[in-house]
Amino acid sequence: MLPKYNVLTEEQVQIIHNESIKILEEIGLDFEYEPALEVFRSQGLKVEGNRVYFTRAFIEEKVKLAPAHFTLHARNPEHNLVCGGENIIYMPGYGAPFIQLADGTRRKSTMEDYDNIVKLAGASKNMHMTGGTVAEPQDIPDEIRHLKMIYSSIKNSDKCFMGSAEGRERAQDSVEMAALLFGGKDVIKEKPVLISLINSLTPLKYDERMLGALMAYAEAGQAVVIASLVMAGSTGPAALVGTLALQNAEVLAGIALAQSINPGTPVVYGSTSALSDMRTGSLSIGSPETALFISASAQIARFYGIPSRSGGGLNDSKIVDAQAGYESMMTLMAASITGINFVLHAAGILQYFMAISYEKFMMDDEMAGMLLHYLKGFNFDEEGLAYDAIAKVGPGGHFLTQKHTRRNHKKEFRSPQLSDRSAFDAWSRDKLDTNQRAHKQWQEVLANYVPPVLDESIDKKLLDFIAERS
């Protein structure tokens, strides 16, 4: 893959680290969960009420325990994923309560939408895993929603998937279902199969729900993305470097907790930091500042020697339009070329995480394919240099009929799945724009998709577990 692009100097990364340590030592963080406070007390840290004060030595020692990379195991071993190093993992959007329709209207998302997006991710060559809460199915009671979503992720794809982060109990349910699928808790503790998204409550706080999930996954040996979403100007300072220092302090504290519970727990350094639009007060994720936060976070994670996570096709547009396209490409490309390993929201997301769109999914999937091809860089072997072909054609000839062209064009060139490259006369027969082509494409993908077969005995165990828990 191409070398990674850095936006900070080594000295600047060290400054951010030192500022974060200062925040952790002098201001501290609030942890609203007694079991977490007990862990920190047992480690000899100063705890006053819910406030925990850290030391430089404690933080730096714990971060060193986190693995530089780890493998997530899928139902189909061909879809196992290595998180860290030079690897990049794309997956769909996360947590959207609405579905944006092609006609410009929107509605609440349903379980059918969740199933459909898992299938689209399962069918995609560019989405490496199906993700987590790809749509919030509001037609399912909240108490059992996580069970239905985990089952859909298992049933409709054999790629890796995410567990619930909605508190300790739902995290434990996710672990139980994964254990039924893979053959027991001992098996998945040895070979992690789940990864979950743990978010701080900025500024400088973790709530009971996220801490319970973090601790449950760490105890079970499953991976956790520990992320901070600082809204510069509202939940964080109106200063980009100060925002990074605040984000970093929160993430480091979460990583330290995971390593205190189970040394060696697979963790991912997560950033979703963005800004508050000063005119509207709303979150803005399709901004150049977001792209800078993404880029810096990849570099900071490399400084600590752990994998990184950011958003991908982020934008503030309400519909699938040019704004959605140019903002999404900026943020997805920033994540890709700066070395982010785990790219959430790589496909489908709209309006600062509020909606997901089938058409946007297909457009983002096309962009993901383009970027994966871009990241491969150049081929410098004899076929790539093509000297013999150049010599054979000579001055004034052409390469269309050469055997070298037939051998190499599919490897060297990427054929678009959605973009239209036809002549104007050919295009004008149907005059389909990108949105219309994407609408047609996702329907065709779903119509032709056949979910991988799930063993009947495992399927029954999962359904029995859901019935019992329900």
Side-chain angles (χ1 to χ4, degrees), residues 416-449:
Q417 305 302 306
L418 179 65
S419 300
D420 187 289
R421 293 178 176 175
S422 62
F424 180 83
D425 289 342
W427 171 82
S428 62
R429 284 194 288 269
D430 296 319
K431 296 183 178 179
L432 298 180
D433 63 20
T434 307
N435 212 358
Q436 292 167 323
R437 293 195 304 275
H439 182 75
K440 180 180 179 182
Q441 188 180 69
W442 73 257
Q443 291 179 321
E444 291 175 349
V445 171
L446 289 182
N448 294 320
Y449 183 72

XYZ file of all heavy atoms in Angstrom, residues 416-449:
288
model
N -15.658 0.643 -13.121
C -16.663 1.155 -12.185
C -17.893 0.257 -12.121
O -18.278 -0.355 -13.121
C -17.009 2.529 -12.753
C -16.661 2.447 -14.197
C -15.486 1.515 -14.292
N -18.488 0.200 -10.941
C -19.719 -0.566 -10.753
C -20.951 0.330 -10.867
O -22.042 -0.134 -11.167
C -19.704 -1.252 -9.385
C -18.486 -2.137 -9.147
C -18.351 -3.226 -10.185
O -19.277 -4.001 -10.410
N -17.204 -3.296 -10.848
N -20.780 1.617 -10.591
C -21.908 2.540 -10.582
C -21.698 3.729 -11.524
O -22.634 4.160 -12.189
C -22.143 3.045 -9.154
C -23.276 4.053 -8.955
C -24.635 3.403 -9.266
C -23.263 4.602 -7.534
N -20.502 4.248 -11.566
C -20.227 5.430 -12.388
C -20.499 5.148 -13.865
O -20.308 4.026 -14.336
C -18.772 5.861 -12.221
O -18.497 6.180 -10.866
N -20.924 6.177 -14.591
C -21.240 6.054 -16.012
C -20.142 6.697 -16.843
O -19.836 7.880 -16.687
C -22.579 6.732 -16.311
C -23.046 6.496 -17.738
O -22.433 7.075 -18.647
O -24.000 5.721 -17.937
N -19.534 5.923 -17.741
C -18.464 6.434 -18.604
C -18.850 6.397 -20.087
O -18.011 6.578 -20.962
C -17.194 5.620 -18.403
C -16.570 5.774 -17.030
C -15.346 4.885 -16.897
N -14.669 5.062 -15.624
C -13.620 4.330 -15.224
N -13.135 3.374 -16.031
N -13.050 4.550 -14.064
N -20.102 6.156 -20.365
C -20.531 6.031 -21.763
C -20.551 7.399 -22.451
O -20.500 8.445 -21.802
C -21.924 5.396 -21.834
O -22.882 6.214 -21.173
N -20.651 7.372 -23.766
C -20.773 8.606 -24.536
C -22.121 9.258 -24.267
O -23.070 8.602 -23.808
C -20.621 8.301 -26.027
N -22.210 10.550 -24.561
C -23.441 11.288 -24.259
C -24.642 10.675 -24.969
O -25.723 10.543 -24.373
C -23.288 12.752 -24.662
C -24.521 13.563 -24.373
C -24.750 14.082 -23.107
C -25.472 13.795 -25.365
C -25.898 14.811 -22.829
C -26.626 14.522 -25.099
C -26.836 15.037 -23.820
N -24.484 10.271 -26.218
C -25.608 9.718 -26.967
C -26.122 8.432 -26.328
O -27.333 8.205 -26.244
C -25.205 9.449 -28.417
C -25.009 10.741 -29.204
O -25.506 11.783 -28.740
O -24.357 10.690 -30.269
N -25.189 7.584 -25.862
C -25.599 6.340 -25.210
C -26.277 6.635 -23.874
O -27.304 6.040 -23.540
C -24.390 5.435 -25.001
N -25.711 7.577 -23.100
C -26.300 7.927 -21.801
C -27.686 8.539 -21.972
O -28.601 8.282 -21.184
C -25.382 8.921 -21.081
C -26.013 9.486 -19.837
C -26.065 8.924 -18.596
C -26.724 10.724 -19.746
N -26.755 9.726 -17.734
C -27.178 10.849 -18.414
C -27.033 11.739 -20.644
C -27.907 11.944 -17.958
C -27.763 12.834 -20.207
C -28.188 12.932 -18.883
N -27.880 9.333 -23.024
C -29.124 10.092 -23.186
C -30.325 9.215 -23.510
O -31.464 9.678 -23.451
C -28.947 11.159 -24.273
O -28.670 10.563 -25.525
N -30.090 7.937 -23.820
C -31.240 7.057 -24.099
C -32.091 6.863 -22.838
O -33.318 6.839 -22.901
C -30.758 5.718 -24.641
C -30.308 5.770 -26.097
C -30.178 4.373 -26.692
N -29.013 3.670 -26.166
C -27.807 3.708 -26.726
N -27.618 4.418 -27.833
N -26.802 3.034 -26.195
N -31.429 6.697 -21.681
C -32.169 6.545 -20.422
C -32.057 7.771 -19.521
O -32.933 8.021 -18.704
C -31.644 5.318 -19.643
C -31.894 4.022 -20.383
O -32.989 3.889 -20.959
O -31.001 3.152 -20.394
N -30.947 8.511 -19.660
C -30.704 9.733 -18.886
C -30.811 9.505 -17.380
O -31.401 10.297 -16.658
C -31.662 10.845 -19.324
C -31.460 11.298 -20.759
C -32.383 12.448 -21.116
C -32.124 12.899 -22.548
N -33.024 14.005 -22.966
N -30.219 8.396 -16.934
C -30.237 8.107 -15.498
C -29.086 8.829 -14.810
O -27.925 8.697 -15.206
C -30.113 6.597 -15.257
C -31.229 5.704 -15.803
C -30.927 4.244 -15.468
C -32.582 6.116 -15.232
N -29.406 9.591 -13.758
C -28.331 10.213 -12.996
C -27.808 9.215 -11.954
O -28.299 8.076 -11.843
C -28.794 11.522 -12.345
C -29.911 11.337 -11.330
O -30.101 10.203 -10.823
O -30.605 12.323 -11.025
N -26.824 9.626 -11.190
C -26.182 8.701 -10.249
C -27.169 8.165 -9.225
O -27.157 6.974 -8.880
C -25.013 9.403 -9.534
O -24.146 9.975 -10.516
C -24.227 8.421 -8.690
N -28.034 9.028 -8.713
C -29.021 8.608 -7.722
C -29.951 7.544 -8.291
O -30.272 6.550 -7.619
C -29.819 9.833 -7.265
C -30.268 9.732 -5.831
O -30.025 8.729 -5.161
N -30.941 10.768 -5.340
N -30.380 7.735 -9.512
C -31.279 6.774 -10.148
C -30.580 5.441 -10.412
O -31.162 4.373 -10.213
C -31.834 7.370 -11.446
C -32.773 8.550 -11.231
C -33.060 9.301 -12.517
O -32.188 9.460 -13.387
N -34.284 9.788 -12.668
N -29.325 5.511 -10.852
C -28.582 4.272 -11.075
C -28.356 3.529 -9.756
O -28.459 2.301 -9.696
C -27.234 4.565 -11.753
C -27.349 5.076 -13.167
C -26.023 4.994 -13.914
N -24.945 5.698 -13.219
C -24.702 6.999 -13.341
N -25.467 7.754 -14.110
N -23.683 7.548 -12.700
N -28.053 4.287 -8.704
C -27.835 3.665 -7.393
C -29.113 3.026 -6.871
O -29.088 1.940 -6.268
C -27.327 4.709 -6.404
N -30.255 3.677 -7.112
C -31.548 3.132 -6.687
C -31.813 1.794 -7.360
O -32.233 0.820 -6.707
C -32.654 4.125 -7.032
C -34.024 3.689 -6.601
N -34.443 3.716 -5.292
C -35.060 3.189 -7.326
C -35.694 3.265 -5.211
N -36.087 2.935 -6.436
N -31.529 1.735 -8.637
C -31.719 0.498 -9.393
C -30.728 -0.568 -8.937
O -31.083 -1.748 -8.781
C -31.551 0.788 -10.881
C -31.726 -0.416 -11.800
C -31.527 -0.011 -13.261
C -31.669 -1.210 -14.183
N -31.421 -0.826 -15.611
N -29.510 -0.151 -8.650
C -28.462 -1.114 -8.317
C -28.712 -1.808 -6.982
O -28.561 -3.029 -6.881
C -27.102 -0.420 -8.302
C -25.929 -1.379 -8.159
C -24.596 -0.651 -8.153
O -24.272 0.065 -7.210
N -23.826 -0.813 -9.211
N -29.091 -1.055 -5.941
C -29.280 -1.723 -4.647
C -30.445 -2.703 -4.683
O -30.402 -3.749 -4.011
C -29.411 -0.711 -3.506
C -30.671 0.095 -3.375
C -30.854 1.393 -3.721
C -31.923 -0.316 -2.790
N -32.134 1.818 -3.430
C -32.811 0.787 -2.843
C -32.386 -1.506 -2.232
C -34.122 0.730 -2.361
C -33.697 -1.564 -1.752
C -34.546 -0.457 -1.821
N -31.452 -2.385 -5.461
C -32.576 -3.314 -5.587
C -32.143 -4.603 -6.290
O -32.554 -5.702 -5.901
C -33.720 -2.643 -6.339
C -34.372 -1.515 -5.538
C -35.484 -0.829 -6.306
O -35.396 -0.609 -7.511
N -36.555 -0.476 -5.609
N -31.300 -4.478 -7.293
C -30.790 -5.665 -7.990
C -29.897 -6.502 -7.086
O -29.967 -7.738 -7.105
C -30.021 -5.233 -9.239
C -30.894 -4.646 -10.338
C -30.088 -4.109 -11.511
O -28.840 -4.006 -11.369
O -30.678 -3.784 -12.552
N -29.059 -5.849 -6.291
C -28.179 -6.582 -5.380
C -28.999 -7.398 -4.384
O -28.746 -8.590 -4.165
C -27.232 -5.617 -4.633
C -26.475 -6.365 -3.527
C -26.241 -4.990 -5.608
N -30.010 -6.776 -3.789
C -30.840 -7.495 -2.822
C -31.623 -8.626 -3.481
O -31.780 -9.706 -2.899
C -31.806 -6.528 -2.126
C -31.191 -5.536 -1.135
C -32.283 -4.680 -0.502
C -30.409 -6.262 -0.050
N -32.112 -8.400 -4.693
C -32.884 -9.426 -5.388
C -32.042 -10.665 -5.691
O -32.555 -11.794 -5.690
C -33.466 -8.852 -6.671
N -30.752 -10.456 -5.896
C -29.865 -11.562 -6.287
C -29.055 -12.137 -5.132
O -28.364 -13.140 -5.308
C -28.902 -11.085 -7.387
C -29.620 -10.748 -8.684
O -30.545 -11.442 -9.088
N -29.213 -9.662 -9.329
N -29.140 -11.521 -3.963
C -28.294 -11.945 -2.847
C -28.859 -13.192 -2.166
O -30.050 -13.253 -1.847
C -28.175 -10.820 -1.813
C -27.263 -11.155 -0.653
C -25.888 -11.210 -0.811
C -27.784 -11.405 0.618
C -25.044 -11.502 0.255
C -26.952 -11.700 1.687
C -25.585 -11.745 1.502
O -24.762 -12.033 2.566
